[in-house]
Amino acid sequence: MEKDEIHLRRLPAAAPWGPRKSGAEDAGSEFHGVDFLPEDLNEAPEETGMRVNKKYSCLPAEEKGIHIINIRAIEDIGYDQHESTLLNSLSKNPDADCKYGLYFRDGKRKVDYILVYHYKKSSAGRTLTRRVHHNDSSARSTKQDQPLPGKGVQLEMGESEPHVDYHEDDKRFRREEYEGNLVEAGLELERDEDTKIHGIGFVKIHAPWNVLCREAEFLKLKMPTKKMYQINQTHGLLKKINSVIQKITEPIQPKVAEHKPQTVKRLSYPFSREKQHLFDLSDRDSFFDSKTRSTIVYEILKRTTCTKAKYSMGKGEGRKKETTLLNKRRKCGKYGITSLLANGVYSAAYPLHDGDYEGENVEPNDRKLLCEEWASYGVFYKYQPIDLVRKYFGEKIGLYFAWLGVYTQMLIPASIVGIIVFLYGCATVDENIPSMEMCDQRNNITMCPLCDRTCSYWKMSSACATARASHLFDNPATVFFSVFMALWAATFMEHWKRKQMRLNYRWDLTGFEEEEEAVKDHPRAEYEAKVLEKSLRKEHKHKEKHRYFPEETANKWRQRTDKEKLTWKDRFPAYLTNFVGIIFMVGLTFAIVFGVIIYRISTAAALAISSTPSGRSSVRVTVTATAVIINLVVIIILDEVYGCIARWLTQIEVPKTDKNFEERLIFKAFLLKFVNAYTPIFYVAFFKGRFVGRPGDYVYIFHSFRMEECAPGGCLMELCIQLSIIMLGKQLIQNNLFEIGIPKMKKFIRYMKLKRRRSLDHEEHMKKKQRYEVDYNLEPFAGLTPEYMEMIIQFGFVTLFVASFPLAPLFALLNNIIEIRLDAKKFVTELRRPVAVRAKDIGIWYNILRGIGKLAVIINAFVISFTSDFIPRLVYLYMYSENGTMHGFVNHTLSSFNVSDFQAGTAPNDPMDLGYEVQICRYKDYREPPWSENKYDISKDFWAVLAARLAFVIVFQNLVMFMSDFVDWIIPDIPKDISQQIHKEKVLMVEVFMREEQGKLQMLETWKDKDKKKGENCNNHSPRLSRSHSGSLSSCHSYPLDV
């Protein structure tokens, strides 16, 4: 082809892109072909940008008859270098005009949403892109006029026919159709492929005012009206107390306008286009904030569908195969934005952040303010600006951080009480008679071997350190602390409900159920695809059976298949897979715990062979510490695995709605992670040392490994070690290190990939990135489920086994202070801005918290009665003590064994290890001595202690449950002042509408009176005048009514 030859291709006559105009203006601005650049750029800079935007068409070229020139190179229209230099000197920097991607090229229309897609760009197209940008930077979006693959475009001489990628063509034409449907829905689009990220295109979306109003009315968004009213203020003593508290807490309040106490509030009402006069529309640009605008656009993106892709496929067998595949896809139904993202038609979709959060010349914006006053470790002591968080991220994320803040605040009193209980244990350790008896070497108590053959007899005084440490956590104060924490959990739940109600009132979420139901019933794209696939199979079978049926019967059948839905039979394979998968995962967790038990037993036996006395004395500590570390590593690995498996199991179920999907995913993930985190702890608390047998008749695993026993001081100390290491390890490694390290690593990997793909062109390298390019490099928002999950598991550590570890609330508090700022920094700086979602509560997580709170009462009752020595001490003190003290308690809990009764091959290899021959050794159990008639049988003391333990469980559980329910009942869910304000809002709203109706009636009566008077005047006219002006007579009774 000659150099000066230009190509023609067909585009639609009416370009849907850009802002719509009405009437004559629309007709005058209609686009007719060869209008690529105006002759005088100084006179029409905005028009140039608009025409470039309108030039793109998302409809197939074969349908319309208007031609447009496709320019292959800038030289074809005779641009010289000095002319382009002159143009650059006269024009402004368009990137600065559009605030580097926050606005369209005209600098007026705000970018509300971004769609990102991958495209394959030819070398010729890349040359054109650079030249257009160099000569006129306002023409950055001219690349979309390049010929599309498979369109029969003429090729230059010497170029071979390019390979046609039907898959890419299918994606592109789906995008074109989808974007055309978005334009029909009223959105305005602008495309940008001239970016620093080669192969990535961006579609900028703007919602004009009329679309925002329409969608706000559909979504029933509550917006502030002109009516303002006074918020009820406290009086008298309460007012003085509140003012004093405000002055004291002023240094820890964030310096944001939204956090200041309000004395007046605007009355809110669901937006209505018919009642626009009620709302303050003086500033339309700020009436709908960026969060609301992006929510509205996202609703349109979900609702808008793409049903087909029209294009010429090519030739040969490949064409037949691809055509069959495409027809199948067309029949499989509609594609909303979620399906298009899943199929790779678009690679990402997200709203933009408000701007940069760091830098010298950064304009003030909400993101920068959040970074300074919230997402910084230096402000850890301050309250969170929850209202600003809600304004920027939406109600759902705002509620998460509000809940996390309330939970962290409530941990402060729990931590203080836990520290007091621990200090009480430290202060009374020297007064504890049982531990003093164990440490007294004069008692000369010889204990039976801990393992067969290799272990020898040992002195009880060697376990003195363990016994003294056990008292720190196993003392009467821990019982009080367990009761306190049960009441604390109930109080926390009630306090959160009240706080949640205050936020609902402040954020205008009262009466939100109707909209929530509508959202809940909206089917997911995957569900619709599965239903359509099912109806397609049925339709195919029906056609095979009834080939010669009339068309009417086929239409009736088609109407029936349109009402298809997934039944339990369709989901039965998924349900079976879920059941088998969950059972397998739980069994895997048990198997791993069992493997760790085998490790502990075998390692203890191996270390017992050590010849050094120090090695033998530290066997128990070494085995316990290494086993807990192994448990921690396994828990962290399985947590990640179980999260992925839970998502996959939920996906194959194909839940109908997003709400159902989220609830099922949360249930599965919580079940698996709960079992994973707490199984080792449950083993130590309730199973270790319970089924060991006795000397001469031990229980063996695989006929070789003897079940491990608790230490002489009980298993509570070991439970404390297990709980503390797993809790602290999960918080430090999984919650903090992973949350900081993994996003940084992913960001670095993305940066290196983009650096490899980046062009070496100096001008493009020096160009400042647009806002949507910067946000594309951020990590996508993955939902709040991981954030809630780690806090719920931590809540379990704080409440379930708090009787064994009173310092758990303190460590949780320290972790949460860091966690709040860490999550805040992640949301503000590391993640793309999530779509704002309205919510009035934390959903299923509240029910899980209540369940854990109830379970904690039962578990703590069993820990106190069965794991600790609290009940045996009480029984001894009141039933067996001779002088009413604890003297003799240790001897009472030990039974005697005659070493001659050892089974063959189980006696110690070195019976003289202690320096003397042992005849009787002691072991911890309630059994008859060897000199009684029923030797080694369970004694009556055992049954007395067991009865006392079971009685304590029943009394403790019922008493604490009753107290928790009493706290729940006595504290109202809705604060009294909030209920009064809500009632006041309803009354004021009724008054506003009544006043409006009265005004309408008065206007109508006034117009009727005027109409009556004018009618009388018309009747007083002379007949001749009336006949001569017959036309004016009727006009006397016609007045326009515009209420």
Side-chain angles (χ1 to χ4, degrees):
M1 192 181 79
E2 298 297 330
K3 182 180 179 181
D4 58 348
E5 186 177 349
I6 54 179
H7 299 302
L8 294 178
R9 70 181 176 95
R10 303 164 70 86
L11 278 184
W17 288 60
R20 295 191 172 190
K21 302 178 182 179
S22 58
E25 188 182 358
D26 190 25
S29 64
E30 188 176 355
F31 186 53
H32 297 286
V34 193
D35 257 353
F36 182 66
L37 290 171
E39 294 181 1
D40 189 357
L41 284 172
N42 294 328
E43 294 179 2
E46 294 182 9
E47 188 181 354
T48 305
M50 293 304 298
R51 284 177 176 169
V52 169
N53 296 334
K54 290 175 71 174
K55 194 170 51 177
Y56 175 83
S57 174
C58 52
L59 297 178
E62 293 82 7
E63 293 186 1
K64 302 291 180 181
I66 302 299
H67 296 271
I68 185 170
I69 293 179
N70 181 23
I71 300 167
R72 293 299 299 269
I74 299 299
E75 290 85 358
D76 295 342
I77 58 175
Y79 262 17
D80 292 328
Q81 184 64 34
H82 65 88
E83 292 177 357
S84 65
T85 306
L86 177 62
L87 289 173
N88 283 331
S89 65
L90 294 175
S91 62
K92 295 181 180 179
N93 181 8
D95 289 343
D97 291 341
C98 67
K99 294 188 179 179
Y100 294 97
L102 288 173
Y103 288 82
F104 274 24
R105 281 282 150 194
D106 56 10
K108 297 178 181 177
R109 291 172 292 166
K110 187 176 176 62
V111 176
D112 298 319
Y113 217 86
I114 291 291
L115 300 179
V116 187
Y117 60 91
H118 290 272
Y119 69 94
K120 292 184 178 179
K121 185 159 62 170
S122 63
S123 57
R126 191 171 295 177
T127 305
L128 172 63
T129 298
R130 292 174 187 162
R131 287 176 176 171
V132 169
H133 175 70
H134 177 72
N135 285 281
D136 187 354
S137 56
S138 68
R140 288 181 68 168
S141 58
T142 58
K143 302 173 300 307
Q144 59 264 22
D145 289 329
Q146 297 170 25
L148 300 177
K151 287 283 186 177
V153 180
Q154 300 177 22
L155 299 173
E156 292 186 11
M157 294 180 65
E159 288 184 7
S160 60
E161 182 178 354
H163 173 70
V164 181
D165 189 341
Y166 297 120
H167 188 58
E168 290 297 321
D169 282 3
D170 183 24
K171 288 183 180 179
R172 185 172 67 253
F173 277 91
R174 283 199 218 175
R175 285 197 297 269
E176 290 177 357
E177 184 194 352
Y178 182 69
E179 289 161 12
N181 293 338
L182 291 179
V183 173
E184 289 178 8
L187 298 178
E188 297 175 4
L189 312 180
E190 186 177 77
R191 175 170 297 203
D192 187 4
E193 291 180 357
D194 181 19
T195 63
K196 293 184 78 171
I197 310 173
H198 285 300
I200 301 291
F202 297 89
V203 176
K204 296 174 275 187
I205 302 177
H206 168 76
W209 173 256
N210 60 330
V211 173
L212 293 172
C213 293
R214 182 191 71 206
E215 296 297 323
E217 184 173 349
F218 291 165
L219 296 173
K220 300 178 183 177
L221 295 179
K222 273 192 171 183
M223 304 302 294
T225 62
K226 297 176 184 176
K227 176 71 176 175
M228 301 180 73
Y229 67 94
Q230 287 281 341
I231 297 176
N232 293 339
Q233 300 293 322
T234 55
H235 300 285
L237 182 61
L238 285 177
K239 186 177 181 180
K240 293 180 180 179
I241 293 173
N242 287 339
S243 63
V244 170
I245 292 173
Q246 286 179 7
K247 288 180 181 178
I248 293 173
T249 59
E250 189 175 356
I252 60 175
Q253 300 290 347
K255 297 176 182 178
V256 296
E258 286 79 3
H259 199 77
K260 294 179 180 178
Q262 296 179 345
T263 56
V264 294
K265 186 178 184 293
R266 285 189 180 273
L267 196 63
S268 295
Y269 185 73
F271 187 83
S272 172
R273 288 172 289 181
E274 294 180 357
K275 293 182 170 57
Q276 286 193 29
H277 57 277
L278 294 176
F279 303 95
D280 184 11
L281 304 179
S282 56
D283 186 6
R284 291 190 172 188
D285 292 337
S286 62
F287 183 73
F288 295 107
D289 56 13
S290 59
K291 175 254 303 181
T292 308
R293 296 174 72 99
S294 62
T295 303
I296 287 173
V297 173
Y298 182 65
E299 289 297 325
I300 298 175
L301 292 176
K302 285 198 299 184
R303 194 173 65 230
T304 306
T305 56
C306 163
T307 55
K308 56 186 179 297
K310 303 175 183 176
Y311 70 160
S312 174
M313 292 295 295
K315 299 178 181 179
E317 291 297 323
R319 179 182 183 275
K320 290 180 182 177
K321 291 180 182 178
E322 295 290 339
T323 306
T324 306
L325 178 62
L326 185 61
N327 288 335
K328 201 171 182 181
R329 282 177 181 167
R330 287 175 187 167
K331 289 177 182 177
C332 278
K334 303 174 181 179
Y335 296 89
I337 186 61
T338 51
S339 295
L340 294 174
L341 287 169
N343 294 332
V345 178
Y346 291 102
S347 58
Y350 51 88
L352 291 179
H353 280 292
D354 278 359
D356 291 326
Y357 60 89
E358 57 184 359
E360 295 180 358
N361 300 321
V362 176
E363 294 184 4
N365 57 70
D366 287 342
R367 189 188 186 194
K368 186 174 185 293
L369 189 59
L370 282 172
C371 188
E372 293 172 353
E373 294 293 329
W374 182 52
S376 172
Y377 295 110
V379 294
F380 72 92
Y381 59 92
K382 288 188 176 183
Y383 285 101
Q384 299 182 85
I386 292 297
D387 291 321
L388 185 59
V389 174
R390 172 253 179 179
K391 177 186 174 185
Y392 193 78
F393 291 110
E395 286 79 5
K396 193 170 186 178
I397 293 175
L399 280 172
Y400 162 71
F401 281 103
W403 173 83
L404 185 55
V406 169
Y407 172 46
T408 304
Q409 287 177 13
M410 289 294 292
L411 282 172
I412 295 174
S415 302
I416 294 172
V417 176
I419 292 171
I420 292 173
V421 170
F422 178 74
L423 292 177
Y424 171 81
C426 294
T428 58
V429 67
D430 291 331
E431 301 171 6
N432 183 37
I433 296 174
S435 62
M436 291 169 62
E437 287 184 349
M438 290 180 65
C439 295
D440 190 357
Q441 297 184 0
R442 294 173 296 176
N443 289 333
N444 197 26
I445 299 176
T446 304
M447 302 297 293
C448 295
L450 294 174
C451 60
D452 294 342
R453 294 188 300 275
T454 55
C455 298
S456 185
Y457 304 105
W458 56 285
K459 291 284 188 181
M460 176 173 267
S461 58
S462 63
C464 175
T466 307
R468 289 174 64 84
S470 295
H471 179 73
L472 300 177
F473 306 100
D474 187 4
N475 56 68
T478 56
V479 180
F480 158 75
F481 190 56
S482 300
V483 176
F484 171 81
M485 287 304 294
L487 298 179
W488 172 87
T491 308
F492 162 60
M493 301 305 295
E494 290 303 309
H495 179 48
W496 166 244
K497 280 197 289 188
R498 291 169 63 85
K499 176 70 173 179
Q500 189 173 257
M501 201 63 215
R502 288 188 183 276
L503 293 176
N504 286 340
Y505 164 72
R506 213 157 72 205
W507 297 347
D508 299 320
L509 292 173
T510 53
F512 176 62
E513 290 79 9
E514 296 84 5
E515 189 271 341
E516 199 171 31
E517 290 296 321
V519 172
K520 187 176 70 174
D521 292 335
H522 185 73
R524 294 172 63 244
E526 291 82 356
Y527 178 85
E528 288 183 334
K530 202 78 175 176
V531 169
L532 289 163
E533 188 180 337
K534 177 184 176 182
S535 62
L536 186 64
R537 285 198 304 268
K538 284 192 174 182
E539 187 179 347
H540 179 71
K541 290 179 182 178
H542 185 266
K543 284 182 179 178
E544 291 293 327
K545 289 181 180 178
H546 309 281
R547 288 186 178 180
Y548 305 105
F549 268 48
E551 187 66 24
E552 293 182 6
T553 309
N555 289 335
K556 287 180 181 178
W557 172 257
R558 204 168 288 114
Q559 289 175 3
R560 276 176 55 197
T561 55
D562 287 342
K563 298 179 181 179
E564 283 289 347
K565 62 180 182 179
L566 295 184
T567 62
W568 69 269
K569 292 181 180 178
D570 301 316
R571 291 196 174 105
F572 181 74
Y575 289 153
L576 184 62
T577 306
N578 270 263
F579 179 75
V580 174
I582 291 174
I583 294 297
F584 175 76
M585 293 302 143
V586 173
L588 177 64
T589 304
F590 289 161
I592 291 173
V593 171
F594 184 73
V596 174
I597 294 170
I598 299 297
Y599 161 79
R600 292 158 69 114
I601 296 170
S602 57
T603 307
L607 290 176
I609 307 175
S610 172
S611 58
T612 59
S614 60
R616 285 198 296 270
S617 62
S618 61
V619 166
R620 194 180 294 275
V621 176
T622 305
V623 170
T624 301
T626 54
V628 171
I629 292 171
I630 293 171
N631 273 327
L632 174 63
V633 173
V634 170
I635 286 171
I636 291 173
I637 294 172
L638 287 184
D639 256 1
E640 304 301 320
V641 174
Y642 286 169
C644 299
I645 290 174
R647 179 168 291 275
W648 176 74
L649 290 175
T650 310
Q651 285 172 346
I652 63 174
E653 275 189 54
V654 196
K656 184 176 181 180
T657 63
D658 287 328
K659 188 176 180 66
N660 288 342
F661 180 88
E662 186 180 17
E663 288 180 351
R664 294 186 185 193
L665 173 62
I666 289 170
F667 174 74
K668 293 182 184 66
F670 174 74
L671 177 64
L672 293 174
K673 292 190 176 187
F674 182 89
V675 171
N676 180 40
Y678 295 114
T679 301
I681 300 172
F682 270 94
Y683 164 73
V684 174
F686 303 120
F687 296 99
K688 184 179 179 182
R690 309 289 172 197
F691 313 101
V692 295
R694 61 171 179 81
D697 188 20
Y698 283 115
V699 177
Y700 291 90
I701 303 174
F702 305 133
H703 303 287
S704 56
F705 296 105
R706 202 175 96 187
M707 288 294 291
E708 55 183 345
E709 304 174 40
C710 288
C715 279
L716 198 69
M717 186 61 202
E718 190 172 342
L719 175 61
C720 175
I721 295 172
Q722 184 105 4
L723 186 66
S724 59
I725 292 179
I726 291 178
M727 179 181 176
L728 295 176
K730 273 180 66 68
Q731 288 182 351
L732 291 175
I733 299 173
Q734 192 175 26
N735 297 356
N736 295 332
L737 190 63
F738 281 14
E739 285 191 18
I740 297 172
I742 291 179
K744 294 282 186 187
M745 193 182 301
K746 288 182 178 179
K747 190 175 180 181
F748 178 73
I749 292 171
R750 271 198 309 273
Y751 171 76
M752 294 305 294
K753 284 182 180 178
L754 293 172
K755 195 174 181 182
R756 265 185 229 148
R757 291 162 54 188
R758 188 175 290 163
S759 171
L760 296 176
D761 190 347
H762 179 68
E763 291 226 356
E764 193 147 346
H765 181 71
M766 296 301 293
K767 180 176 63 180
K768 183 177 178 180
K769 280 188 177 182
Q770 303 291 311
R771 177 79 263 151
Y772 42 85
E773 295 177 69
V774 176
D775 285 3
Y776 176 71
N777 293 331
L778 299 176
E779 187 74 13
F781 174 63
L784 288 171
T785 301
E787 313 298 336
Y788 273 115
M789 189 67 71
E790 64 183 71
M791 289 295 106
I792 297 296
I793 297 295
Q794 184 205 81
F795 182 78
F797 281 121
V798 169
T799 55
L800 291 180
F801 296 95
V802 74
S804 63
F805 190 39
L807 295 180
L810 175 64
F811 289 115
L813 173 65
L814 297 176
N815 174 79
N816 287 5
I817 291 172
I818 301 171
E819 180 74 20
I820 290 175
R821 306 303 164 180
L822 181 65
D823 284 347
K825 198 171 187 66
K826 183 173 68 174
F827 272 84
V828 173
T829 65
E830 301 288 340
L831 297 180
R832 293 176 191 159
R833 188 174 183 177
V835 179
V837 178
R838 285 193 295 166
K840 66 181 300 182
D841 52 40
I842 59 175
I844 193 175
W845 297 110
Y846 181 80
N847 297 328
I848 292 175
L849 285 169
R850 283 189 68 87
I852 292 177
K854 300 294 184 185
L855 183 63
V857 177
I858 302 170
I859 289 179
N860 280 305
F862 277 95
V863 167
I864 294 169
S865 61
F866 285 91
T867 309
S868 75
D869 281 340
F870 178 73
I871 299 300
R873 288 172 185 170
L874 285 180
V875 171
Y876 176 78
L877 186 64
Y878 293 106
M879 290 181 64
Y880 300 103
S881 177
E882 296 177 356
N883 53 6
T885 64
M886 293 301 295
H887 288 287
F889 170 73
V890 174
N891 188 56
H892 178 75
T893 58
L894 296 177
S895 299
S896 301
F897 177 76
N898 193 331
V899 297
S900 62
D901 293 332
F902 271 122
Q903 291 181 355
T906 61
N909 295 332
D910 186 10
M912 299 294 292
D913 184 60
L914 294 178
Y916 57 88
E917 185 179 358
V918 177
Q919 300 292 332
I920 300 292
C921 67
R922 310 294 297 273
Y923 61 98
K924 189 172 183 179
D925 204 348
Y926 292 98
R927 291 182 180 270
E928 296 291 342
W931 51 83
S932 69
E933 294 181 2
N934 303 315
K935 65 177 183 178
Y936 307 133
D937 284 350
I938 294 174
S939 66
K940 62 178 182 179
D941 298 343
F942 171 84
W943 299 112
V945 171
L946 179 62
R949 282 173 164 167
L950 293 176
F952 176 83
V953 169
I954 295 170
V955 172
F956 182 90
Q957 175 188 332
N958 287 282
L959 178 64
V960 175
M961 287 282 192
F962 170 77
M963 294 171 69
S964 300
D965 291 340
F966 180 75
V967 169
D968 192 355
W969 173 75
I970 203 171
I971 301 176
D973 293 346
I974 303 176
K976 186 177 180 180
D977 59 327
I978 296 299
S979 61
Q980 290 175 352
Q981 297 289 0
I982 293 172
H983 178 70
K984 186 177 180 180
E985 276 197 352
K986 291 179 180 178
V987 172
L988 287 173
M989 188 55 66
V990 171
E991 288 179 2
V992 168
F993 284 118
M994 289 297 293
R995 206 172 294 135
E996 185 181 1
E997 290 298 323
Q998 289 174 1
K1000 287 180 183 179
L1001 289 173
Q1002 289 176 1
M1003 290 173 67
L1004 287 171
E1005 288 175 1
T1006 305
W1007 286 334
K1008 282 181 181 179
D1009 292 341
K1010 288 182 179 179
D1011 187 41
K1012 190 175 181 181
K1013 289 178 182 178
K1014 296 230 174 176
E1016 291 174 357
N1017 292 336
C1018 290
N1019 291 332
N1020 291 335
H1021 284 313
S1022 62
R1024 182 177 57 83
L1025 189 61
S1026 300
R1027 284 195 300 271
S1028 63
H1029 296 283
S1030 60
S1032 64
L1033 185 63
S1034 62
S1035 66
C1036 291
H1037 300 278
S1038 61
Y1039 297 99
L1041 290 179
D1042 186 13
V1043 182

